[in-house]
């Protein structure tokens, strides 16, 4: 198809439905000479959902226009963006993303011969790339780096250097992938203009930037992997699709905050072959079927309240299932089921109302969570665990068996923690030791001294030992339970009345090899290094 298109027709395919194009004159100049080389990047974190059809619809347009398309799996970016995913899961998630994107594009009916996949770590750890990161850091101000990432990188009061590096790495990707253009959402605009400003200062060409609009989710607002009601999973059954569409926000006459309409505009209409139209099936008593050859006709009809939200939902459900059915079929194999479970570990059930101190919980139908980060009442996504360093240790003024530790937990913050570790260590042995600290315990007084957290230790029959953090760990570095996303919104303070810590702690233990575990899941740093103890088969307190 692309070989028969004029440069103008290719430009129309490349730019249709975009919100903004930077460098359109350059785009036209390239198309007069050859096909465009373009890349789209995605951080391999949350599970892809139907909103991914919005960029994939444009990728399909690019392929139809003869573009050479590179999809970058930004695994290093995923780690740097507030360390959203541990390394141990990123490799499996990258495999999942490639498989699901191929299935999506096949569902959209486009050839894949001019499509290639690249992982960021395939080249971002090279000597040349690293030197360019240093070169870039010598000309970029902190202000510009923070401003560039404001819409994309998670914003916190005391940002890590990793988040400040993020925009520069994305800019350098354009050069190292040897593309003419980068495609992304309009939320990437500040990074795109950052790249246009700074790449020429390194002697590299300024690229074209193509931006998609951001479309609302089903519940209104942004469609997010972490908000179950806002999105439809690519592997959801037809019954789940029906249930979620039924709950979707679809106010009569409202065309601005309507995720269903935006999805139809940016995904459904572009996939239509010549002569196809959007059809709303209605009973004769309600006016019979409606057929819309153009999206604008559909939008106008809904805005005039001549199309009922229920009828729009029923029609969108049909087209979504048409897109999802090939993906469901392609993933209905043992290989892809196992890949999905490895990338996004299956649900773990926790028995409701289980008392602290017992053995392992039995599977129950209620109060569950999953190891990919879904919430549960008494699950480790509630904990804020950090690497801390004991700066000082003194004897408790009113208890011979207790000591008071001053622990640096990063970001300029220190906590006073009352501990019984003095029974097993001298005060000198405790000073400067790196430890695992529970930082979101509600402060309470212990024998008259306020304690602001816990230092975790393995409790053997005759000996207790502070958990050992992996070599090379930094103060303030997050500790997670493998597969649980507790890096985003841990509970500000664990509720002592509900005994949340007691119930989570009941499942903390060391394995036969000394690994620190919650149930069968490892405690680990965000790069996948395990927390350990020399004491095996003990509870952790």
């Amino acid at each position: 198809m692309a070989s028969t298109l004029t440069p103008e027709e290719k430009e129309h395919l490349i730019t249709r439905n975009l919100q903004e194009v930077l460098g359109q004159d350059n785009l036209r100049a390239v198309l007069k000479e050859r096909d465009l080389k373009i890349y789209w990047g995605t951080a391999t974190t949350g599970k892809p959902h139907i909103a991914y059809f919005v960029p994939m619809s444009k990728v399909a347009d690019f392929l139809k226009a003869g573009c050479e398309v590179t999809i970058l799996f930004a695994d290093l970016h995923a780690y740097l963006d507030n360390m959203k995913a541990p390394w141990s899961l990123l490799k499996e998630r990258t495999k999942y993303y490639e498989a699901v994107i191929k299935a999506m594009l096949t569902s959209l009916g486009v050839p894949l011969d001019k499509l290639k996949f690249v992982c960021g770590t395939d080249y971002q750890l090279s000597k040349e790339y690293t030197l360019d990161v240093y070169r870039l850091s010598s000309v970029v101000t902190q202000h510009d780096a923070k401003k560039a990432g404001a819409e994309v990188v998670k914003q916190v009061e005391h940002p890590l250097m990793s988040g400040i590096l993020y925009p520069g790495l994305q800019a350098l990707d354009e050069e190292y992938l040897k593309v003419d253009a980068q495609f992304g959402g309009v939320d990437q605009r500040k990074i795109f203009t950052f790249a246009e400003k700074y790449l020429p200062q390194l002697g590299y060409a300024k690229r074209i930037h193509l931006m998609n609009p951001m479309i609302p989710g089903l519940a209104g607002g942004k469609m997010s992997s972490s908000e179950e009601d806002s999105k439809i999973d690519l592997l959801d059954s037809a019954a789940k699709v029906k249930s979620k569409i039924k709950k979707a926000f679809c106010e009569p006459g409202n065309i601005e905050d309507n995720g269903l309409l935006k999805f139809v505009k940016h995904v459904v209409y572009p996939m239509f072959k010549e002569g196809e139209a959007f059809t709303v099936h209605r009973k004769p008593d309600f006016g019979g079927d409606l057929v819309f050859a153009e999206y604008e006709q559909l939008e106008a009809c809904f805005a005039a309240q001549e199309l009922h939200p229920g009828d729009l939902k029923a029609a969108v459900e049909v087209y979504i299932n048409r897109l999802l059915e090939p993906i469901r079929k392609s993933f209905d194999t043992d290989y892809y089921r196992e890949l999905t479970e490895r990338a996004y570990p299956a649900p773990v059930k926790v028995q409701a109302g289980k008392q602290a101190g017992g053995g392992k919980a039995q599977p129950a139908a209620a109060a569950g969570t999953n190891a990919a980060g879904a919430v549960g009442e008494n699950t480790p996504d509630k904990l804020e665990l950090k690497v801390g360093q004991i700066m000082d240790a003194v004897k408790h003024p009113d208890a011979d068996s207790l000591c008071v530790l001053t622990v640096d937990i990063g970001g300029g913050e220190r906590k006073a923690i009352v501990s019984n570790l003095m029974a097993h260590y001298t005060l000198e042995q405790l000073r400067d030791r790196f430890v695992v600290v529970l930082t979101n315990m509600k402060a309470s007084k212990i024998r008259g001294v306020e304690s602001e957290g816990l230092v975790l230790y393995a409790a053997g029959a005759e000996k207790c030992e502070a958990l050992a953090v992996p070599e090379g760990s930094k103060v303030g570095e997050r500790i997670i339970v493998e597969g649980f996303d507790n890096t985003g919104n841990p509970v500000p303070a664990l509720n002592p009345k509900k005994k949340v810590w007691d119930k989570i702690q009941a499942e903390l233990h060391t394995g036969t090899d000394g690994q620190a575990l919650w149930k069968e899941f490892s405690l680990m740093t965000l790069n996948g290094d395990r927390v350990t103890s020399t004491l095996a088969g003990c509870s952790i307190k």
Side-chain angles (χ1 to χ4, degrees), residues 232 237-248 314 317 321:
I232 292 172
S237 66
K240 280 189 177 180
V241 170
K242 180 182 286 294
S243 174
K244 290 179 179 180
I245 291 287
K246 187 175 180 180
K247 297 175 185 176
E317 179 189 337
N321 279 317

Side-chain angles (χ1 to χ4, degrees), residues 390 405 407 417 419 421 435-438 453-457 466 541:
I390 299 174
L405 309 175
V407 185
I417 297 175
S419 173
L421 285 174
V435 289
V436 176
V437 185
L438 176 63
L454 285 177
V455 172
L456 300 193
Y457 61 91
K541 298 182 178 180

